[in-house]
Amino acid sequence: MGRSQPKLLTCAINQGTPLIDGDKAIFLWKGRRPPKLIGDFTEWEDGTPAEMTRIAPGVGTYELSLPSDAYIEYAYMDGIERFPDPFNRHKVLNDLGQANNFFYMTAGKPTPLAERKKGVSQGKLTRYVMEGIRLESVVGGKRLIYLYQPPTTEPCPLIVVMDGREYL
């Protein structure tokens, strides 16, 4: 990696983390014991958490190569406790009521499809609660369902998204 501990910490404090260096995202942890890292790149809790490498007393790092236009969400984990990256102020709620940190690589940016345009009719979003569901992954037997009606009376395709509220 070729960086000194003070420079890494200074960069993390000033720029936030992960630090982006070409195609690498460099995660940094300062503390007694580095936690594990979970995210889109580890299949979250279903995959194998990333192990940070101790580079100095109280400092751990993890490097990950990514495409230049990548958008990544992640969190730190210690045992079963999840917690945010103290050097990253960018947070987004996931569908489980927890916050994930996120970042874009150098060529990444939000999709222009999510921008509202003046003069374009908007559809209607309706929220429903389905109760009595018997699935292990559904907490309390309830599941939120969102239906979007495009601003048209013409027939249109049905799209089913199984990613909670995140697609909204």
Side-chain angles (χ1 to χ4, degrees):
M1 191 152 84
R3 293 178 179 84
S4 66
Q5 174 191 343
K7 184 174 182 183
L8 271 179
L9 290 175
T10 300
C11 287
I13 291 166
N14 293 334
Q15 299 172 27
T17 54
L19 302 169
I20 308 299
D21 184 11
D23 70 340
K24 294 199 183 335
I26 304 163
F27 299 85
L28 180 75
W29 180 261
K30 182 178 186 312
R32 196 177 109 249
R33 187 179 78 193
K36 296 187 184 206
L37 188 59
I38 59 172
D40 295 326
F41 49 92
T42 67
E43 296 182 30
W44 293 96
E45 289 91 346
D46 294 335
T48 303
E51 300 271 346
M52 299 191 87
T53 301
R54 186 171 292 204
I55 61 167
V59 180
T61 64
Y62 180 76
E63 287 190 20
L64 177 66
S65 292
L66 294 165
S68 64
D69 62 349
Y71 166 83
I72 299 292
E73 291 185 23
Y74 70 98
Y76 284 116
M77 195 166 189
D78 190 7
I80 60 170
E81 180 187 358
R82 285 176 60 149
F83 50 93
D85 181 344
F87 293 118
N88 185 341
R89 62 180 171 80
H90 302 288
K91 294 180 180 68
V92 63
L93 288 178
N94 66 21
D95 200 38
L96 301 173
Q98 300 167 321
N100 296 329
N101 289 107
F102 72 89
F103 68 96
Y104 291 94
M105 291 298 283
T106 54
K109 61 184 175 185
T111 176
L113 296 173
E115 295 175 14
R116 294 196 176 170
K117 308 239 187 289
K118 288 184 177 182
V120 175
S121 298
Q122 295 184 22
K124 180 180 177 186
L125 187 67
T126 309
R127 182 183 129 170
Y128 297 93
V129 177
M130 289 180 58
E131 295 189 49
I133 298 173
R134 295 178 186 242
L135 297 173
E136 291 177 15
S137 62
V138 178
V139 178
K142 295 180 181 179
R143 181 74 168 188
L144 288 176
I145 306 293
Y146 294 90
L147 298 177
Y148 173 73
Q149 173 64 49
T152 182
T153 57
E154 301 290 319
C156 57
L158 172 66
I159 299 172
V160 177
V161 181
M162 304 294 284
D163 203 13
R165 293 183 306 225
E166 295 182 11
Y167 74 94
L168 290 174

